[in-house]
């Protein structure tokens, strides 16, 4: 039974992402914005399993999160696919201190890319209706999300990475 849970640990944690996405804990927010939760799981998983698996699970994460949102006009899939592929190309380092801060930087860049791609979809659809002043709150939201994702990533990603490595080592 214990071996079963160790084998399925990454999938169990994968299921937690939509739950946290829906839960939207306000005490972790800043300016009414939450960190971009999918990147916390996608970064360590893609680093361990490679870029093709990161791309595939980025697609699955995007499909799940898009099915949970009320507005079906815009999608999170392109950003998560790109980040999953990019995260899979990043190699693990033995230096733990640099690695922890590197997770924050990588997740911040990934959050910025995902937020920007989502914002560009909105901008292209509503281009004729928008003026410059309507874009300022969107930029504020993207920057707050980037800050929060970069702030929490060293803590959360390092724990996920340790957990995924441990479960993989125990199975071999």
């Amino acid at each position: 039974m214990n071996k079963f849970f160790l084998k399925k640990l990454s999938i169990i944690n994968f299921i937690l992402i939509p739950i946290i996405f829906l839960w939207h804990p306000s005490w972790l927010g800043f300016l009414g914005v939450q960190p971009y939760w999918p990147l916390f799981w996608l970064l360590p998983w893609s680093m361990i399993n490679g870029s093709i698996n990161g791309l595939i699970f980025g697609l699955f994460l995007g499909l799940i999160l898009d099915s949970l949102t009320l507005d079906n006009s815009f999608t999170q899939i392109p950003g998560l696919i790109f980040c999953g592929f990019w995260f899979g190309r990043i190699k693990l380092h033995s230096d733990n201190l640099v690695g922890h801060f590197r997770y924050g930087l990588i997740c911040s860049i990934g959050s910025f890319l995902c937020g920007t791609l989502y914002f560009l979809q909105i901008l292209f659809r509503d281009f004729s209706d928008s003026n410059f002043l309507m874009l300022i709150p969107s930029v504020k939201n993207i920057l707050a999300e980037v800050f929060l994702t970069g702030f929490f990533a060293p803590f959360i990603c390092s724990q996920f990475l340790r957990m995924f490595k441990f479960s993989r080592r125990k199975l071999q």
Side-chain angles (χ1 to χ4, degrees):
M1 179 94 154
N2 192 20
K3 192 170 185 172
F4 173 77
F5 284 118
L6 283 176
K7 189 176 182 180
K8 304 295 182 194
L9 190 60
S10 61
I11 302 301
I12 292 169
N13 287 323
F14 181 80
I15 294 169
L16 292 176
I17 293 170
I19 294 170
I20 292 174
F21 188 79
L22 286 174
W23 177 34
H24 201 70
S26 61
W27 53 276
L28 290 175
F30 176 67
L31 298 174
V33 179
Q34 294 291 310
Y36 197 54
W37 296 105
L39 295 184
F40 295 144
W41 184 89
L42 191 61
L43 173 65
W45 196 87
S46 296
M47 286 174 74
I48 290 173
N49 295 309
S51 57
I52 299 301
N53 287 329
L55 183 137
I56 292 168
F57 273 87
L59 173 68
F60 288 150
L61 270 174
L63 288 171
I64 290 170
L65 295 179
D66 284 347
S67 67
L68 293 176
T69 57
L70 296 176
D71 185 17
N72 292 329
S73 301
F74 310 113
T75 182
Q76 299 179 27
I77 294 173
L80 288 172
I81 286 176
F82 179 76
C83 285
F85 182 76
W86 177 51
F87 292 165
R89 311 261 318 151
I90 298 170
K91 302 296 178 204
L92 298 172
H93 286 296
S94 60
D95 188 8
N96 289 334
L97 184 63
V98 172
H100 291 304
F101 292 115
R102 192 174 80 152
Y103 300 145
L105 178 64
I106 293 168
C107 278
S108 292
I109 294 170
S111 175
F112 180 75
L113 289 172
C114 290
T116 303
L117 287 173
Y118 196 79
F119 174 67
L120 288 174
Q121 292 175 33
I122 296 170
L123 186 66
F124 284 136
R125 191 188 86 179
D126 299 332
F127 184 70
S128 62
D129 299 338
S130 66
N131 64 20
F132 180 72
L133 295 176
M134 292 179 65
L135 305 178
I136 293 173
S138 300
V139 173
K140 174 201 70 110
N141 289 343
I142 291 172
L143 293 178
E145 184 178 76
V146 166
F147 170 74
L148 283 173
T149 305
F151 182 74
F152 287 118
F155 308 115
I156 298 172
C157 288
S158 62
Q159 294 303 318
F160 275 144
L161 188 67
R162 186 178 298 135
M163 195 180 331
F164 295 160
K165 280 183 178 178
F166 177 76
S167 66
R168 183 173 245 201
R169 210 176 315 129
K170 284 290 188 178
L171 293 175
Q172 294 174 349

